[in-house]
Amino acid sequence: MNELIYIIIALLAASVGSVMLSGSLLVLNQKWLEKLSGYLLCLAGGTLIGSALMGLIPESMEILPVREVLIWVLFGILFFFLLEKFILWRMCRDDNCKRQIHTAGPMIIIGDAVHNAIDGVVIATSFMTSVELGIFVTVSVVLHEIPQELGDFGILIKSGYSKKQALFYNLLSASSAIVAGTVTYFLLDFMEEIVPYALAVAAASFLYIALADLIPEMHKETKAKESILQFLLILVGVGVIFLSAASHGHVH
Ligand SMILES: [Zn+2]
């Protein structure tokens, strides 16, 4: 039951917390907002890859054979490809639709609700394995959610929502994490044997977000100095997870 308290705090931090934090960052001017968003994206890229490869996958491998874990990671990557494609189809009515440019507010909100629900499942699953894993997974979620939500605020406001409405709908879509995370807790508590599989699929979700969503975004920046800074920030993200994993004996 103790875990449930941690999970609920983490889910609140990842959903309401990151929306409120990104909402309050809106006072910054556009130039700073974009800079900060870019830096957080890189940090998040590092912590996501680190959490997947040094936290979630090793934890899963302590229970399942290596081969089986990797098959589930592979399955997860294919699943998230299809899921993202499906959401994009629902979102785009015109032919040349790019991920960040769809102007239909409701579709962004729905797409995010699905993504946040998965983050909620990942948070709950990792806390049920260990509190340490739960903490660095939550940090990874908050770090990638802030730039994501800053982007959403921008898009919602551009498509005619007031700041208040944008905040409300962002909170609404973030709350799917709380629902999905809590349901996951009771489900996994009931069927503990699913936990290692859920960890492997959770790792796939983190790898997919980092490699398929965040890195292409980072490559829009091509200046040498900024690119070096990006790489350093990714290293910092990986390093934070490495150090916390090592100090808790996840890295052998
Ligand atoms: Zn997320």
Short mmCIF file of all heavy atoms in Angstrom, two decimals, residues 14 18 21 25-26 41 43 69 75 80 93 106-107 133 161 168 170 181 205 224 236 243 247 249:
data_model
loop_
_atom_site.label_atom_id
_atom_site.label_comp_id
_atom_site.label_asym_id
_atom_site.label_seq_id
_atom_site.Cartn_x
_atom_site.Cartn_y
_atom_site.Cartn_z
N ALA A 14 4.03 14.21 -12.31
CA ALA A 14 4.22 14.06 -13.76
C ALA A 14 3.09 14.70 -14.56
O ALA A 14 3.30 15.11 -15.70
CB ALA A 14 4.33 12.58 -14.12
N SER A 18 3.78 18.93 -13.93
CA SER A 18 4.48 19.41 -15.12
C SER A 18 3.64 20.38 -15.94
O SER A 18 4.17 21.30 -16.57
CB SER A 18 5.01 18.24 -15.97
OG SER A 18 3.96 17.48 -16.46
N LEU A 21 3.96 23.68 -14.04
CA LEU A 21 5.30 24.21 -14.22
C LEU A 21 5.45 24.83 -15.62
O LEU A 21 5.93 25.95 -15.77
CB LEU A 21 6.32 23.08 -14.04
CG LEU A 21 7.66 23.48 -13.46
CD1 LEU A 21 7.51 24.01 -12.05
CD2 LEU A 21 8.61 22.28 -13.46
N LEU A 25 5.87 28.80 -16.88
CA LEU A 25 7.00 29.23 -17.72
C LEU A 25 6.55 30.13 -18.87
O LEU A 25 7.36 30.79 -19.51
CB LEU A 25 7.72 27.99 -18.30
CG LEU A 25 8.56 27.19 -17.30
CD1 LEU A 25 9.09 25.93 -17.97
CD2 LEU A 25 9.71 28.02 -16.76
N LEU A 26 5.22 30.13 -19.13
CA LEU A 26 4.70 30.93 -20.24
C LEU A 26 4.94 32.43 -20.07
O LEU A 26 4.83 33.19 -21.03
CB LEU A 26 3.20 30.67 -20.45
CG LEU A 26 2.82 29.29 -20.99
CD1 LEU A 26 1.32 29.17 -21.10
CD2 LEU A 26 3.48 29.05 -22.35
N LEU A 41 14.46 19.14 -23.68
CA LEU A 41 14.29 18.03 -24.63
C LEU A 41 15.53 17.13 -24.63
O LEU A 41 15.43 15.90 -24.61
CB LEU A 41 14.10 18.62 -26.02
CG LEU A 41 13.04 18.05 -26.93
CD1 LEU A 41 11.67 18.17 -26.32
CD2 LEU A 41 13.07 18.78 -28.27
N LEU A 43 17.95 16.96 -22.23
CA LEU A 43 18.06 16.30 -20.92
C LEU A 43 17.12 15.10 -20.86
O LEU A 43 17.51 14.01 -20.43
CB LEU A 43 17.67 17.27 -19.80
CG LEU A 43 18.74 18.19 -19.25
CD1 LEU A 43 18.11 19.12 -18.21
CD2 LEU A 43 19.88 17.39 -18.62
N VAL A 69 12.97 -10.76 -22.89
CA VAL A 69 12.87 -9.32 -22.60
C VAL A 69 13.02 -8.52 -23.90
O VAL A 69 12.22 -7.64 -24.20
CB VAL A 69 13.96 -8.87 -21.60
CG1 VAL A 69 13.97 -7.35 -21.44
CG2 VAL A 69 13.75 -9.54 -20.25
N PHE A 75 8.66 -5.80 -29.64
CA PHE A 75 7.21 -5.76 -29.80
C PHE A 75 6.68 -4.37 -29.41
O PHE A 75 5.86 -3.78 -30.09
CB PHE A 75 6.59 -6.86 -28.94
CG PHE A 75 5.13 -6.69 -28.67
CD1 PHE A 75 4.18 -7.00 -29.63
CD2 PHE A 75 4.70 -6.19 -27.44
CE1 PHE A 75 2.83 -6.83 -29.38
CE2 PHE A 75 3.34 -6.01 -27.18
CZ PHE A 75 2.41 -6.33 -28.15
N PHE A 80 4.39 0.98 -30.56
CA PHE A 80 4.34 2.44 -30.45
C PHE A 80 4.41 3.12 -31.81
O PHE A 80 3.86 4.19 -31.99
CB PHE A 80 5.41 2.96 -29.48
CG PHE A 80 5.10 2.57 -28.07
CD1 PHE A 80 5.91 1.69 -27.37
CD2 PHE A 80 3.94 3.04 -27.45
CE1 PHE A 80 5.58 1.30 -26.08
CE2 PHE A 80 3.60 2.65 -26.16
CZ PHE A 80 4.42 1.78 -25.48
N ARG A 93 -6.19 15.87 -41.33
CA ARG A 93 -7.21 15.82 -42.37
C ARG A 93 -6.58 16.17 -43.73
O ARG A 93 -7.04 15.73 -44.76
CB ARG A 93 -8.35 16.79 -42.05
CG ARG A 93 -9.15 16.39 -40.84
CD ARG A 93 -10.06 15.20 -41.15
NE ARG A 93 -10.33 14.38 -39.98
CZ ARG A 93 -11.24 14.64 -39.07
NH1 ARG A 93 -12.00 15.69 -39.20
NH2 ARG A 93 -11.42 13.86 -38.05
N PRO A 106 -8.63 19.72 -30.28
CA PRO A 106 -9.12 18.51 -29.60
C PRO A 106 -8.25 17.29 -29.89
O PRO A 106 -8.07 16.43 -29.03
CB PRO A 106 -10.52 18.32 -30.19
CG PRO A 106 -10.90 19.62 -30.74
CD PRO A 106 -9.65 20.35 -31.11
N MET A 107 -7.71 17.22 -31.11
CA MET A 107 -6.92 16.06 -31.47
C MET A 107 -5.59 16.02 -30.71
O MET A 107 -5.11 14.96 -30.33
CB MET A 107 -6.67 16.04 -32.98
CG MET A 107 -7.92 15.73 -33.75
SD MET A 107 -8.68 14.21 -33.15
CE MET A 107 -10.30 14.34 -33.84
N LEU A 133 13.86 3.04 -9.01
CA LEU A 133 13.50 3.00 -10.43
C LEU A 133 12.33 3.95 -10.68
O LEU A 133 12.34 4.72 -11.63
CB LEU A 133 13.13 1.57 -10.85
CG LEU A 133 12.84 1.36 -12.34
CD1 LEU A 133 14.10 1.61 -13.16
CD2 LEU A 133 12.31 -0.04 -12.60
N TYR A 161 -7.60 29.03 -28.51
CA TYR A 161 -7.97 28.84 -27.11
C TYR A 161 -7.40 29.99 -26.28
O TYR A 161 -6.34 30.53 -26.60
CB TYR A 161 -7.39 27.53 -26.58
CG TYR A 161 -8.04 26.29 -27.13
CD1 TYR A 161 -7.86 25.91 -28.46
CD2 TYR A 161 -8.81 25.47 -26.32
CE1 TYR A 161 -8.44 24.76 -28.96
CE2 TYR A 161 -9.39 24.32 -26.81
CZ TYR A 161 -9.21 23.97 -28.13
OH TYR A 161 -9.77 22.83 -28.62
N PHE A 168 -6.66 24.39 -18.89
CA PHE A 168 -7.68 23.41 -18.50
C PHE A 168 -7.56 22.13 -19.33
O PHE A 168 -7.53 21.03 -18.79
CB PHE A 168 -9.09 24.02 -18.66
CG PHE A 168 -10.18 23.02 -18.46
CD1 PHE A 168 -10.52 22.59 -17.17
CD2 PHE A 168 -10.86 22.48 -19.54
CE1 PHE A 168 -11.52 21.64 -16.98
CE2 PHE A 168 -11.86 21.53 -19.36
CZ PHE A 168 -12.19 21.11 -18.08
N ASN A 170 -5.01 21.05 -21.09
CA ASN A 170 -3.74 20.37 -20.81
C ASN A 170 -3.83 19.55 -19.53
O ASN A 170 -3.34 18.43 -19.46
CB ASN A 170 -2.61 21.39 -20.69
CG ASN A 170 -1.65 21.31 -21.87
OD1 ASN A 170 -1.68 20.37 -22.64
ND2 ASN A 170 -0.79 22.30 -21.99
N GLY A 181 -2.31 5.19 -14.34
CA GLY A 181 -1.32 4.76 -13.37
C GLY A 181 -1.96 4.04 -12.19
O GLY A 181 -1.47 3.00 -11.73
N SER A 205 8.65 2.12 -24.78
CA SER A 205 7.99 3.42 -24.87
C SER A 205 9.01 4.55 -24.68
O SER A 205 9.03 5.53 -25.43
CB SER A 205 6.87 3.50 -23.84
OG SER A 205 6.71 4.79 -23.33
N ALA A 224 26.78 24.46 -34.88
CA ALA A 224 27.77 23.60 -34.23
C ALA A 224 27.76 23.77 -32.71
O ALA A 224 27.72 22.79 -31.97
CB ALA A 224 29.16 23.88 -34.79
N VAL A 236 24.48 14.60 -19.80
CA VAL A 236 24.09 14.90 -18.42
C VAL A 236 22.87 14.05 -18.02
O VAL A 236 22.85 13.44 -16.95
CB VAL A 236 23.77 16.41 -18.24
CG1 VAL A 236 23.13 16.68 -16.87
CG2 VAL A 236 25.03 17.25 -18.40
N LEU A 243 24.44 7.48 -12.53
CA LEU A 243 24.88 7.64 -11.14
C LEU A 243 23.84 7.13 -10.16
O LEU A 243 24.16 6.43 -9.20
CB LEU A 243 25.21 9.11 -10.84
CG LEU A 243 26.46 9.63 -11.58
CD1 LEU A 243 26.65 11.11 -11.28
CD2 LEU A 243 27.70 8.82 -11.18
N SER A 247 24.42 3.90 -7.80
CA SER A 247 24.40 4.01 -6.35
C SER A 247 23.33 3.13 -5.72
O SER A 247 23.34 2.89 -4.53
CB SER A 247 24.20 5.47 -5.93
OG SER A 247 22.90 5.87 -6.26
N GLY A 249 22.77 0.06 -7.09
CA GLY A 249 23.11 -1.31 -7.44
C GLY A 249 22.40 -1.87 -8.66
O GLY A 249 22.36 -3.05 -8.88
#
